[in-house]
Amino acid sequence: MKPLDNKRPGRAVDQLESWGRYPRVPARLFRPERMRDFHAGEGPSLARGLGRSYGDAALLTDGDVVLSERLDRCLEFNPETGVLRAEAGLSLDALIRAFVPQGWFVPVTPGTAFCTLGGCVAANVHGKNHHRDGSFRQGVTSLEMLTADGSVRDLTPADGDDFEFAFGGMGLTGMIREVELQLRPITTSMMMVRHSVAGNLPELMAQMDDEARDDQYSVAWVDLLARGERAGRGVLMTGHHAEINELPMRYAAHPETLLTDRPGRARPFPFEAPTWLLSPGNLRLFNSMYHKWQGRKGTFFTPLRTFFHPLDAIRNWNRMYGKPGFVQYQFVVPFESGREAVTEAISRLNAAQASSFLAVLKRMGASDGGPLSFPMPGYTLALDIPLREGVIDLLNNLDALVADHGGRVYLAKDSALRPDTFRRMYPEWERFVIHKRQVDPDGRWQSDLARRLELV
Amino acid sequence: MTPLALETKGSVLVVGATSPIARAAAAEFARQGYAVILAARDKDELDRIAADLRIRSRVEVTLLPYDADLKGSGTRLAEIALELEPPLIGAVWVVGDLGDQDRAQEDVTHAKAIVRRNFTGVIDVFTPIANAFEARGAGFLIAVGSVAGDRGRAKNYVYGAAKAALHAFMSGMRQRLDRKGVRVRVVKPGFVDTAMTFAMGPLPLLASPDKVGQAVARAATGKKDEIYTPGPWRWIMLIIRHLPERVFKKTNI
Ligand SMILES: Cc1cc2nc3c(=O)[nH]c(=O)nc-3n(C[C@H](O)[C@H](O)[C@H](O)COP(=O)(O)OP(=O)(O)OC[C@H]3O[C@@H](n4cnc5c(N)ncnc54)[C@H](O)[C@@H]3O)c2cc1C
Ligand SMILES: NC(=O)c1ccc[n+]([C@@H]2O[C@H](COP(=O)([O-])OP(=O)(O)OC[C@H]3O[C@@H](n4cnc5c(N)ncnc54)[C@H](OP(=O)(O)O)[C@@H]3O)[C@@H](O)[C@H]2O)c1
């Protein structure tokens, strides 16, 4: 057989950006169509999925960024056990489309379905069920990885660090080619959801901690703009996959529709928004309305797409923050000091007038994966902050607070953390660096995140 | 282990099956319940695409080797495809190679390879299949051509010439076979978002390979003989085709 034509042309881009649209850097992009062309370039290289990380985790200034999106084939599926082996570029969106009608769902999903299996492993993503089911790591039984020396390795938990460090490894230990994961059986594509209102932060946390109130999935929306007695008021939203016998008769009457997936057509966000749109006055108004409206819902059924990925209904919603872009700040702090740390963080955000309306609070369960994996037991808060003068300083100030409380920020969403604070947050960082030097002595895999945190 | 498709409608042969356009077309045929036969050179990619099709649509997928540069390969491919069960009902030619125009101007072997991969290769494959469909009085033949075949341009005229020949070959077969119940279709994509165009940066009217692949599969049952995709290319090419040579030769279109 003759050598095949190169199916890996490159494209130089001036402003590669991820979901937060900050920062923007020049890079060479490659988009292989065939698995054999999914490999590093000549110099420093990085694998990239759908760019749904927010900061600079999927960026590499002047390096070779290799997109996995065309490598999205399902390779093996056992309909008895629900174990799926697929290429790392498969998106959760495509997975859900193909497998929900067959009665299977992903074991863990982040708040967007437009991310790849490889990206979910590399960031060891968590979902609304983290407090019960752990991170993406828990569903994964095996990985196929291209290592820095060019060899392809099949990794399982028996391989120890080589396997575990890929989870939260942010693409720095190798390029993930294939992922094998255990899907979750479902009998309907509907969710049974319960909303309840809480008047302030202590009340919200108490509801969240209440085992009787808890469910498989649990997350809370917090109104960061409410002050005084109502500070930290919110709506706790819990749910589980509805079983057939839980559904009202009108659904059961049409059994063929029980497992339909309704992805809907994503509407584009029409323009780069002017900055006044998200002025404090407008946000306050929005939050008040949202608090009333969501709180009133009580118990109801909703399609799983609406429950898990509500933001996916608007394509490019990141343009809402206008040209400068935004950062998403997410941290987790241990339960012990959780209330204190969250309250203090909220008040610092308010003092800086930096809060936004997308703030989410959730309980996290046990840690898993490698040393840079984010989740650990405690409360996690995530919010969007539009980028403007002084935001990076504010974030560094919050970083110190989080580190003082024994917490950490999520690297997949970060673009501001300094190396010294990072080391306090991830005390096992050294194990990661030593491992990285062993598996990648020449520093083949790099990213702007890794450079900023002095991991390479 | 894999449950069989609900009903088997016959097989569709997709030649050049490792192209992302072909993969989307095969997926659409599979979704409609056809068994698919995939042919190309790259065995590892064929295996991956076949596994994916089987899992997503639970149809029967057969893989066959095909190399347009290898004597006898096309003839053998047609022979085997015609003997497989369920019986062959359609064939799709997606094989193509843009090649390197600059190289083709220096190296005639390369120019001829481009012509073989875009045009002459199809003769070996489609001639016996067309005859079988004619005898049976049913079937469809689809070729993926290109807007580049509508007018020779300095930038890629070897490729364009091969595509033009492909269009003419299909048009002749259409006139011969349409009356015998065999549908002969040509799909002419404009820019498709594939490896061929990725390095060129953002392009106007760029279509996803999925969209083009679906247009290819729809051509089998649709009424149109020649399909431009995306649609506006029909009008763009109408204008470009009608520019007088005296004007055209001076432009850089
Ligand atoms: C609306 C929204 C909601 C979100 N909600 C959550 C949430 O609830 N929980 C959560 O955990 N995260 C959440 N995220 C973050 C997102 O899930 C992660 O950033 C995820 O990694 C994105 O996947 P991706 O395929 O887009 O990866 P990218 O953003 O392209 O890359 C992320 C990292 O993965 C690495 N990587 C990607 N592919 C590979 C590969 N094949 N091999 C090796 N490394 C690779 C990259 O190098 C990079 O370091 C959310 C993001 C958005 C936009
Ligand atoms: N991409 C565009 O913008 C565009 C625009 C207009 C028209 N088209 C046409 O659309 C078709 C598919 O294009 P694409 O962009 O998807 O290209 P592609 O990925 O390069 O696909 C080309 C296909 O042809 C096969 N092929 C090439 N040389 C071959 C040979 N010697 N023997 C056997 N098979 C061979 C390849 O298979 P193996 O390598 O596995 O053998 C592959 O399946 C082509 O006909 C192209 O001309 C494309």
Side-chain angles (χ1 to χ4, degrees):
Chain A
M1 196 144 111
K2 295 208 182 100
L4 293 157
D5 309 337
N6 186 10
K7 293 289 188 290
R8 198 187 130 133
R11 175 199 285 185
V13 290
D14 300 333
Q15 301 212 320
L16 183 63
E17 62 187 28
S18 291
W19 196 246
R21 309 187 65 207
Y22 167 84
R24 298 180 186 138
V25 308
R28 278 180 304 279
L29 269 187
F30 295 87
R31 192 184 62 190
E33 300 279 348
R34 301 187 183 197
M35 188 52 97
R36 89 165 55 72
D37 298 322
F38 189 56
H39 55 69
E42 306 273 291
S45 302
L46 182 70
R48 175 174 161 116
L50 289 170
R52 254 48 178 204
S53 50
Y54 283 79
D56 55 6
L59 303 179
L60 179 58
T61 302
D62 295 327
D64 289 354
V65 175
V66 188
L67 302 176
S68 68
E69 63 186 65
R70 290 295 165 95
L71 305 166
D72 66 345
R73 279 110 7 141
C74 299
L75 300 174
E76 283 164 40
F77 180 62
N78 182 334
E80 256 92 76
T81 60
V83 174
L84 169 70
R85 188 175 188 86
E87 292 174 345
L90 183 70
S91 71
L92 297 193
D93 178 62
L95 192 160
I96 290 168
R97 248 170 237 265
F99 290 96
V100 162
Q102 304 187 36
W104 299 97
F105 189 64
V106 270
V108 165
T109 173
T112 178
F114 298 118
C115 53
T116 63
L117 293 180
C120 287
V121 170
N124 197 18
V125 298
H126 58 273
K128 297 179 179 185
N129 55 343
H130 191 274
H131 62 304
R132 294 219 180 159
D133 302 327
S135 317
F136 205 73
R137 161 69 185 84
Q138 293 306 310
V140 178
T141 45
S142 151
L143 295 175
E144 188 183 88
M145 178 160 322
L146 177 75
T147 55
D149 62 10
S151 58
V152 174
R153 289 191 62 194
D154 212 346
L155 300 171
T156 66
D159 293 293
D161 291 356
D162 288 347
F163 177 76
E164 299 295 345
F165 283 30
F167 295 85
M170 308 309 289
L172 301 172
T173 64
M175 290 173 87
I176 300 158
R177 288 166 41 116
E178 295 174 13
V179 178
E180 185 182 273
L181 78 166
Q182 171 68 60
L183 301 182
R184 175 187 303 285
I186 52 173
T187 55
T188 79
S189 54
M190 298 296 282
M191 304 298 297
M192 187 164 171
V193 186
R194 189 173 155 200
H195 284 189
S196 56
V197 187
N200 53 36
L201 190 68
E203 210 182 288
L204 186 61
M205 286 183 161
Q207 280 196 27
M208 205 176 247
D209 297 347
D210 178 4
E211 269 178 46
R213 172 70 187 84
D214 194 33
D215 206 342
Q216 184 179 17
Y217 300 97
S218 164
V219 71
W221 169 81
V222 195
D223 181 357
L224 296 187
L225 296 172
R227 304 271 168 104
E229 278 186 1
R230 290 187 296 184
R233 69 172 174 178
V235 180
L236 178 62
M237 307 164 170
T238 60
H240 59 264
H241 296 280
E243 297 289 337
I244 294 176
N245 56 16
E246 281 180 304
L247 287 178
M249 289 302 279
R250 68 196 148 94
Y251 292 101
H254 300 279
E256 73 286 355
T257 64
L258 285 174
L259 282 168
T260 45
D261 174 35
R262 304 175 188 80
R265 179 172 274 269
R267 280 162 223 282
F269 194 79
F271 51 86
E272 236 167 22
T275 36
W276 57 257
L277 183 71
L278 299 178
S279 69
N282 281 352
L283 289 182
R284 226 178 285 278
L285 185 71
F286 174 87
N287 278 3
S288 275
M289 282 163 50
Y290 192 80
H291 189 251
K292 282 214 186 75
W293 171 52
Q294 291 297 335
R296 239 184 248 144
K297 285 185 167 177
T299 302
F300 58 97
F301 294 94
T302 197
L304 51 81
R305 294 267 186 178
T306 320
F307 182 74
F308 290 109
H309 311 126
L311 289 170
D312 287 354
I314 307 165
R315 219 173 343 117
N316 301 334
W317 62 260
N318 54 348
R319 290 170 42 171
M320 181 171 65
Y321 293 102
K323 213 174 198 90
F326 67 109
V327 292
Q328 177 160 99
Y329 192 66
Q330 180 170 8
F331 65 84
V332 57
V333 279
F335 290 118
E336 304 82 76
S337 56
R339 184 175 304 180
E340 197 188 321
V342 172
T343 309
E344 176 59 23
I346 293 178
S347 84
R348 288 192 198 180
L349 283 160
N350 272 325
Q353 295 230 328
S355 0
S356 71
F357 56 95
L358 293 171
V360 164
L361 183 72
K362 134 144 223 84
R363 277 176 71 93
M364 291 198 134
S367 307
D368 52 26
L372 302 194
S373 173
F374 167 67
M376 63 179 227
Y379 294 105
T380 177
L381 183 73
L383 59 137
D384 291 349
I385 305 175
L387 210 87
R388 52 187 149 90
E389 193 84 22
V391 163
I392 301 296
D393 290 339
L394 170 69
L395 295 182
N396 286 336
N397 170 304
L398 290 170
D399 290 342
L401 170 78
V402 170
D404 287 346
H405 283 278
R408 53 173 66 145
V409 300
Y410 191 7
L411 300 183
K413 298 184 172 179
D414 173 55
S415 32
L417 192 58
R418 309 303 323 154
D420 47 334
T421 325
F422 157 72
R423 290 182 194 139
R424 284 167 64 206
M425 292 177 172
Y426 290 88
E428 302 228 48
W429 66 273
E430 211 165 354
R431 277 183 70 208
F432 186 83
V433 173
I434 293 169
H435 176 80
K436 165 123 177 97
R437 297 230 168 110
Q438 272 166 5
V439 298
D440 181 16
D442 303 325
R444 172 128 292 218
W445 317 118
Q446 301 193 10
S447 67
D448 285 352
L449 174 96
R451 289 172 176 174
R452 178 164 53 81
L453 300 180
E454 297 173 2
L455 292 166
V456 290
Chain B
M1 221 194 58
T2 340
L4 282 179
L6 306 174
E7 57 173 317
T8 317
K9 289 179 155 180
S11 305
V12 176
L13 168 67
V14 180
V15 196
T18 48
S19 136
I21 297 171
R23 180 186 163 205
E28 182 56 26
F29 283 119
R31 204 187 56 77
Q32 295 173 11
Y34 292 100
V36 292
I37 306 164
L38 308 180
R41 290 171 301 179
D42 191 337
K43 179 69 166 62
D44 177 54
E45 283 298 306
L46 281 179
D47 282 337
R48 291 170 182 274
I49 292 167
D52 185 70
L53 281 176
R54 289 187 189 111
I55 292 170
R56 290 187 205 238
S57 9
R58 306 176 172 188
V59 295
E60 210 174 306
V61 183
T62 309
L63 303 184
L64 294 174
Y66 170 63
D67 186 345
D69 302 337
L70 210 68
K71 233 187 156 113
S73 182
T75 314
R76 213 160 37 246
L77 173 67
E79 222 170 72
I80 301 170
L82 283 166
E83 276 166 13
L84 285 176
E85 283 297 331
L88 197 70
I89 186 75
V92 187
W93 174 262
V94 197
V95 176
D97 181 7
L98 183 61
D100 178 343
Q101 173 67 28
D102 291 340
R103 192 179 145 203
Q105 283 163 215
E106 303 296 325
D107 172 4
V108 178
T109 331
H110 183 58
K112 286 178 171 167
I114 295 176
V115 176
R116 195 164 57 231
R117 292 169 193 165
N118 288 288
F119 171 55
T120 39
V122 78
I123 302 176
D124 290 337
V125 184
F126 273 14
T127 303
I129 295 177
N131 294 343
F133 286 177
E134 180 183 32
R136 212 185 293 154
F140 62 83
L141 296 165
I142 303 173
V144 176
S146 170
V147 295
D150 278 5
R151 188 137 202 192
R153 294 158 60 228
K155 235 184 235 163
N156 59 16
Y157 63 82
V158 178
Y159 173 73
K163 290 295 192 195
L166 175 68
H167 300 165
F169 180 72
M170 296 299 281
S171 142
M173 283 215 291
R174 179 178 309 123
Q175 206 185 23
R176 169 187 150 209
L177 295 173
D178 189 74
R179 59 198 71 182
K180 306 280 178 59
V182 182
R183 294 181 200 150
V184 182
R185 308 280 194 251
V186 167
V187 178
K188 298 181 184 174
F191 298 126
V192 192
D193 191 10
T194 60
M196 212 184 249
T197 53
F198 185 73
M200 301 178 195
L203 291 166
L205 288 175
L206 189 67
S208 75
D210 281 349
K211 283 265 146 51
V212 176
Q214 281 156 17
V216 169
R218 266 202 313 274
T221 44
K223 289 208 168 64
K224 283 193 189 157
D225 295 313
E226 289 211 333
I227 295 107
Y228 285 84
T229 166
W233 280 101
R234 171 177 295 277
W235 312 113
I236 298 171
M237 293 322 292
L238 187 76
I239 295 165
I240 294 182
R241 266 203 324 269
H242 286 88
L243 283 179
E245 233 2 90
R246 144 176 69 78
V247 176
F248 186 72
K249 70 182 180 191
K250 300 222 166 77
T251 67
N252 293 318
I253 296 174

